[in-house]
């Protein structure tokens, strides 16, 4: 039974952490542009000089 | 979007502007726009929002929006100014619902975890502990996540109505109170999991609904703002000042540059010019205006810059009359009852009486007050309208998403419902069946070099002919030539030097019928004739529409000759020379005779008709008034989204009906069990989630069918 006393608070804490992360992500605008985020991974970052695309 | 607060910058305060760039299609475009703008002097940062097809630019105050639009055009993108986040309220609502959904999801998962051990036969002390833990999680979660429902239910009750939120709220509150009582008296069952799961699934439906509304609307708002909203007013000392349309008064002298839209009605003071009345009347050929002629707000000055004396402004313009007509016409549509509301109206009383009857029945049968109440709550929870609540938004969100990928933005869910009921289509001509923008008729006379020079000249100007020419040349894959000293002479044209030789794109010297421009290279002129061509897939779209059993016709404000030519080519019945009120009257007659017309139009003159039709669609190039009046907007040159919209709408409604059937079937199975008192929390939880998931899964099929259809 003792293990329950550890696991349940642990599970709750993890759940709360996830919830907190979601709130933070939403407040900082991470869900504003989901399609764009998917596309941006294809942009090459290193072309500082010429905008060659 | 981060709030557009003025951030204190040490060196130079920057201002934020937003532009819509509908042409962005891929990662390459994002990179091109962001890097290209970052190289412009005065621009501090540019960030693309790809979903909304917008770019937020932080720039020095002395860099004007027009200059940034010009830079974007040089990068190969058409851009328009967008208002600063006009939808903050809708966004806020979506965010509130998403937060509630996240909290409910968190609560649901943790309570389930505890419940499973109770179901699998925990003995009394453990069970009591777990029930207390569940209560600890559930009560704050319900208090937070249930607010949207409680607030709406209270509102309904205060107005002596009931809606779907009333049984939900009663069910959730009763279940929570009873479970607390059970927990306190060490009873075997608690309903916390059921109550929280109910909230979770219902919030999912709500959030989907809100997302659909705000996402599609932000797309439309992004397209708004093309019209002349203000004008340069000539001051007594001869200088000019930009005045917004609402503050212009009769008697002012307005300076209208070439290519600018008029913001008020006025008479031409001096000089002569050509005005384009396409937006206002649907007349495709520009007409000359000389001193003394009356021109109206909404027309575009194509020729020379002219001075006008304002005779009517703000509320008194021909434009405002159209707006008034539109307002009145829009009233009838706001009475349309959405299918979900109709279902709720039937559903809420039925559920209440069922729960109440089972409560009375069990009391009469000799069960205790406690047990009777428990069963009544079980009935309320198991008949939970979560499958019903998801039935409509789930299908509509999937359909709207699929349509958005194909260039059609839907404003709200009822538009899809109304689109599915349409039985005839009435098209405007100019700007709807045709592109509404002059395009060169034949470019085959121009050589490779001439085309490159023409594009380089045309893309520097905002004149409609230049824009049409530039677009046509870009479509052919022409690369602009490198020119020196490009200059625009208003009303005359563009001139520059190419490899030392003078080149120019000029207005023809002689007055010619129709529209034309002269491309002059080293003294040799080539005439380019322009016309307003049909959209490329008009025939295919009309065929698709009649294949769906819809009768098509034309109602245009243009002159009979030009309408007749199009009508003959497309084999359609057509009415020409119609005024805004006439179009509205035509639609009212069709509606009175039992038809449900779909109106497709773009001009200001179509505004009232768009508002008065059963449902309406406007192209993305339409005036903002028309886009506001229309239920949906399609972007791009192809007309096919109209046919696709009808097809997908019908398919959506078929899916919605299936969803309702599934929900009703589920209730028919589950309710008798609940009334007989067989429903344990486990059964309720399983049945509820199964029905909701079934509905969502069924709706997801729409994405595939919308993708397959329409070539």
């Amino acid at each position: 039974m003792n293990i329950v006393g550890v696991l349940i608070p642990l599970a709750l804490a993890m759940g709360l952490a996830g919830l907190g992360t979601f709130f933070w992500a939403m407040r900082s605008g991470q869900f504003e542009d989901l399609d764009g985020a998917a596309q941006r991974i294809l942009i090459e970052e290193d072309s500082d000089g010429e905008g060659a695309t | 979007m981060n709030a557009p607060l003025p951030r204190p910058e040490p060196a130079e305060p920057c201002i934020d502007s937003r532009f819509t760039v509908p042409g962005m299609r891929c990662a390459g475009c994002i990179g091109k726009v962001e890097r290209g703008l970052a190289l412009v002097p005065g621009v501090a940062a540019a960030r693309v929002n790809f979903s909304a097809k917008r770019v937020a630019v932080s720039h020095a105050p002395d860099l004007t929006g027009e200059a940034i639009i010009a830079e974007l055009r040089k990068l190969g993108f058409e851009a328009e100014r967008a208002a600063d986040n006009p939808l903050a309220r809708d966004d806020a609502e979506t965010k509130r619902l998403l937060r509630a959904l996240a909290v409910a999801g968190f609560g649901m998962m943790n309570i389930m975890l505890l419940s499973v051990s109770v179901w699998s036969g925990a003995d009394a002390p453990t069970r009591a502990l777990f029930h207390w833990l569940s209560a600890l999680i559930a009560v704050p979660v319900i208090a937070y996540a249930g607010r949207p429902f409680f607030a709406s239910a209270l509102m309904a009750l205060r107005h002596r109505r009931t809606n779907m939120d009333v049984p939900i709220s009663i069910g959730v509150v009763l279940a929570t109170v009873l479970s607390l009582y059970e927990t306190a008296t060490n009873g075997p069952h608690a309903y916390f999991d059921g109550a929280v799961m109910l909230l979770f699934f219902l919030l999912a439906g709500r959030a989907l609904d809100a997302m659909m509304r705000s996402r599609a609307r932000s797309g439309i708002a992004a397209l708004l703002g093309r019209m002349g909203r203000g004008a340069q007013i000539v001051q007594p000392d001869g200088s000019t000042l930009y005045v917004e349309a609402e503050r212009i008064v009769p008697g002012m002298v307005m300076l209208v540059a070439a290519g600018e839209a008029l913001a008020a009605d006025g008479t031409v003071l001096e000089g002569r010019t050509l005005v384009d009345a396409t937006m206002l009347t649907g007349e495709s050929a520009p007409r000359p205006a000389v001193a003394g002629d009356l021109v109206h707000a909404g027309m575009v000055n194509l020729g020379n810059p002219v001075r006008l004396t304002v005779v009517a402004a703000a509320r008194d313009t021909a434009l405002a009359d159209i707006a008034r007509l539109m307002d009145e016409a829009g009233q009838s549509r706001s009475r349309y009852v959405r299918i979900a509301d109709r279902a709720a109206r039937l559903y809420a009383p039925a559920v209440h009486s069922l729960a109440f009857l089972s409560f009375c029945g069990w009391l009469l049968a000799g069960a205790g007050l406690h047990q009777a109440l428990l069963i009544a709550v079980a009935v309320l929870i198991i008949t939970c309208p979560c499958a019903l609540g998801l039935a409509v938004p789930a299908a509509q969100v999937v359909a709207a998403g699929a349509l958005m990928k194909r260039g059609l933005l839907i404003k709200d869910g009822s538009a899809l419902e109304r689109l599915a009921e349409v039985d005839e289509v009435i098209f405007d001509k100019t700007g709807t069946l045709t592109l509404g923008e002059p395009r060169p008729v034949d470019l085959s006379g121009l050589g490779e070099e001439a085309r490159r020079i023409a594009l380089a000249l045309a893309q520097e100007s905002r004149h409609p002919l230049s824009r049409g020419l530039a677009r046509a040349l870009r479509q052919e894959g022409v690369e602009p030539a490198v020119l020196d000293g490009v200059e625009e002479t208003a009303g005359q044209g563009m001139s520059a030097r190419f490899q030392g030789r003078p080149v120019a794109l000029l207005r023809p010297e002689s007055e010619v019928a129709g529209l034309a421009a002269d491309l002059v290279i080293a003294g040799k002129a080539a005439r380019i004739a322009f016309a307003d061509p049909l959209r490329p897939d008009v025939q295919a779209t009309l065929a698709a529409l009649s294949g769906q059993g819809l009768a098509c016709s034309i109602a245009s404000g243009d002159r009979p000759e030009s309408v007749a030519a199009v009508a003959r080519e497309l084999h359609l019945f057509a009415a020409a020379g119609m005024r805004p009120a006439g179009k509205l009257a035509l639609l009212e007659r069709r509606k009175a005779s039992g038809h449900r017309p779909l109106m497709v139009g773009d001009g200001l003159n179509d505004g009232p008709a768009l508002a008065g039709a059963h449902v309406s669609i406007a192209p993305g190039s339409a005036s903002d008034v028309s886009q506001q009046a229309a239920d949906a907007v399609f972007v791009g040159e192809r007309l096919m989204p109209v046919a696709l919209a009808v097809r997908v709408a019908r398919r959506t409604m078929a899916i919605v009906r299936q969803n309702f059937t599934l929900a009703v079937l589920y209730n028919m199975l589950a309710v008798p069990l609940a009334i007989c008192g067989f429903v344990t929390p486990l059964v309720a939880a399983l049945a509820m989630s199964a029905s909701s998931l079934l509905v969502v899964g069924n709706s997801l099929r729409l994405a595939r069918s919308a993708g397959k259809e329409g070539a």
Side-chain angles (χ1 to χ4, degrees):
Chain A
M1 215 61 222
N2 287 342
I3 193 72
V4 169
V6 179
L7 284 181
I8 288 177
L10 197 67
L12 277 177
M14 280 164 67
L16 276 174
L19 193 64
T21 314
F22 177 79
F23 272 41
W24 166 78
M26 196 155 68
R27 186 157 313 151
S28 63
Q30 309 248 345
F31 299 117
E32 297 290 347
D33 187 14
L34 294 172
D35 301 342
Q39 297 281 344
R40 272 173 201 281
I41 198 164
L42 300 169
I43 302 179
E44 286 178 47
E45 296 288 346
D46 49 73
S47 60
D48 311 81
E50 295 295 302
T53 24
Chain B
M1 260 129 289
N2 303 318
L5 286 171
R7 272 167 298 162
E9 295 269 5
E12 186 180 12
C14 283
I15 52 172
D16 284 342
S17 305
R18 289 196 165 74
F19 302 89
T20 88
V21 188
M24 291 189 291
R25 287 184 210 295
C26 60
C29 304
I30 299 179
K32 227 174 178 176
V33 168
E34 288 187 348
R35 284 194 205 126
L37 282 179
L39 294 178
V40 176
V43 171
R47 174 86 186 174
V48 168
N49 182 334
F50 188 72
S51 314
K53 302 268 187 257
R54 248 184 299 196
V55 52
V57 184
S58 167
H59 59 93
D62 53 345
L63 190 67
T64 61
E66 279 64 40
I68 295 174
I69 290 174
E71 292 293 340
L72 279 167
R73 205 174 323 128
K74 271 185 214 156
L75 293 169
F77 295 95
E78 293 279 328
E80 297 287 347
R81 256 204 115 101
D84 266 355
N85 198 6
L87 302 142
R89 235 189 48 207
D90 277 359
D91 281 357
E93 166 160 357
T94 313
K95 279 193 178 157
R96 209 162 47 96
L97 284 169
L98 275 179
R99 246 176 267 148
L101 182 66
V103 169
F106 158 79
M108 181 178 87
M109 283 188 281
N110 284 290
I111 296 170
M112 277 295 169
L113 207 69
L114 299 168
S115 299
V116 168
S117 30
V118 175
W119 297 335
S120 51
D123 25 320
T126 322
R127 192 179 63 201
L129 171 71
F130 280 14
H131 276 170
W132 276 115
L133 274 173
S134 299
L136 207 67
I137 304 168
V139 171
V141 164
I142 287 171
Y144 183 84
R147 273 186 317 177
F149 302 102
F150 302 152
S152 154
L154 265 180
M155 184 81 94
L157 286 179
R158 207 170 289 157
H159 290 90
R160 305 187 162 277
R161 287 183 294 114
T162 108
N163 57 14
M164 204 111 109
D165 294 331
V166 177
I168 294 167
S169 302
I170 295 179
V172 168
V173 172
L174 265 182
T176 314
V177 172
L178 254 181
S179 307
L180 281 174
Y181 174 78
E182 286 280 296
T183 307
T185 56
N186 209 356
H189 292 307
Y191 282 89
F192 293 118
D193 45 0
V196 177
M197 188 162 39
L198 177 66
L199 285 181
F200 177 78
F201 279 115
L202 287 167
L203 280 168
R206 274 312 139 85
L208 283 177
D209 210 27
M211 249 142 77
M212 152 151 187
R213 267 181 293 132
S214 73
R215 203 172 160 191
R217 264 200 229 139
S218 74
I220 287 173
L223 290 166
L224 292 183
R226 287 162 190 265
M227 289 292 306
R229 300 232 169 141
Q232 299 289 341
I233 295 295
V234 182
Q235 303 291 103
D237 63 358
S239 66
T240 59
L241 183 74
Y242 185 81
V243 176
E244 278 166 32
E246 300 88 71
R247 294 218 303 268
I248 297 176
V249 292
M252 285 180 164
V253 176
M254 182 162 73
L255 182 68
V256 185
E260 200 180 326
L262 273 63
D265 294 1
T267 51
V268 180
L269 209 56
E270 60 195 287
R272 50 181 295 124
T273 185
L274 280 174
V275 292
D276 176 5
T278 309
M279 278 296 173
L280 199 61
T281 62
E283 213 175 304
S284 52
R287 63 170 191 232
V290 295
D293 279 356
L294 181 66
V295 285
H296 293 286
M299 292 181 176
V300 179
N301 179 16
L302 289 183
N304 314 306
V306 283
R307 282 162 191 254
L308 304 169
T309 314
V310 176
V311 293
R315 296 236 164 105
D316 308 315
T317 56
L319 209 81
D321 278 340
I322 293 179
R324 264 193 292 278
L325 266 178
M326 244 168 62
D327 251 13
E328 286 157 24
Q331 304 278 316
S332 67
R333 199 196 282 156
S334 60
R335 283 199 289 272
Y336 186 87
V337 184
R338 290 189 54 177
I339 188 164
D341 296 339
R342 273 179 282 168
R345 232 178 251 183
L346 283 175
Y347 192 80
V351 170
H352 281 151
S353 13
L354 214 57
F356 184 68
L357 282 178
S358 35
F359 175 71
C360 296
W362 278 90
L363 269 189
L364 288 179
L369 182 73
H370 174 238
Q371 201 195 352
L373 201 58
L374 210 62
I375 287 167
V377 170
V379 171
L380 269 183
I381 286 199
I382 202 124
T383 55
C384 116
C386 38
L388 276 179
L390 285 169
V392 180
Q396 284 179 348
V397 164
V398 176
L403 283 173
M404 194 167 337
K405 286 216 176 78
R406 306 195 140 239
L408 189 104
L409 309 170
I410 303 240
K411 260 194 206 163
D412 71 321
S414 79
L416 273 173
E417 291 168 20
R418 282 179 279 127
L419 258 175
E421 298 168 352
V422 154
D423 61 358
E424 65 176 348
V425 189
I426 298 172
F427 286 99
D428 173 44
K429 182 184 79 77
T430 317
T432 306
L433 290 173
T434 68
L435 284 171
E437 182 185 78
R439 289 292 168 88
V441 178
D442 184 18
L443 285 171
S444 57
L446 297 181
E448 182 61 30
E449 193 183 69
R451 288 176 192 222
R452 293 179 50 216
I453 293 169
L455 176 55
L457 284 168
Q459 71 180 8
E460 296 290 328
S461 163
R462 240 183 123 56
H463 193 281
L465 289 190
S466 292
R467 283 204 298 201
L469 179 61
R471 209 185 277 224
L473 285 168
R474 268 195 218 112
Q475 275 170 3
E476 289 186 11
V478 177
E479 289 285 327
V482 182
L483 302 180
D484 300 316
V486 182
E487 263 179 47
E488 178 162 20
T489 317
Q492 292 306 315
M494 312 289 303
S495 58
R497 299 190 75 78
F498 174 67
Q499 294 172 355
R501 288 173 293 164
V503 291
L505 191 63
L506 298 174
R507 192 159 70 103
E509 303 262 319
S510 55
E511 288 285 328
V512 280
L515 289 163
D518 281 347
L519 179 66
V520 187
I521 300 173
K524 273 203 301 187
R527 168 86 25 109
I528 304 170
F530 286 82
D532 183 11
L534 288 172
R535 285 181 186 265
D537 58 348
V538 166
Q539 301 276 13
T541 306
L542 292 176
L545 284 171
S546 59
Q548 291 165 45
L550 301 172
C552 302
S553 55
I554 302 177
S556 173
D558 205 352
R559 288 166 301 118
E561 310 86 81
S562 54
V563 176
V566 173
R568 250 197 318 277
E569 193 181 340
L570 298 175
H571 307 292
L572 293 183
F573 176 78
M578 299 188 80
R579 305 186 59 77
K583 286 197 186 189
L584 180 58
L586 169 77
L587 279 160
E588 296 294 343
R589 274 201 304 280
R590 300 304 293 164
K591 272 169 40 179
S593 61
H595 287 281
R596 288 177 163 159
L598 160 64
M599 175 78 205
V600 189
D602 73 320
L604 286 166
N605 59 331
D606 297 311
L610 288 169
H614 188 60
V615 58
S616 51
I617 302 181
S621 55
S623 62
D624 52 355
V625 180
S626 305
Q627 291 189 10
Q628 223 131 42
D631 294 301
V633 173
F634 66 95
V635 200
E637 293 194 353
R638 289 153 46 87
L639 192 60
M640 195 46 102
V642 173
L644 187 70
V646 175
R647 203 179 310 178
V648 171
R650 288 185 178 175
R651 186 95 188 92
T652 307
M653 289 322 285
I655 294 274
V656 164
R657 272 192 290 274
Q658 283 172 18
N659 284 349
F660 275 127
T661 316
L662 283 173
V664 167
L665 275 181
Y666 151 78
N667 276 337
M668 275 164 54
L669 277 172
V671 170
L673 285 177
I675 292 177
C676 299
F678 293 137
V679 174
T680 60
L682 175 65
V683 175
L686 283 181
M688 214 153 60
S689 20
S691 71
S692 297
L693 292 179
L694 210 60
V695 162
V696 171
N698 190 36
S699 308
L700 284 177
R701 296 193 305 141
L702 264 173
R704 241 177 344 137
S705 75
K708 255 191 309 203
E709 285 165 323

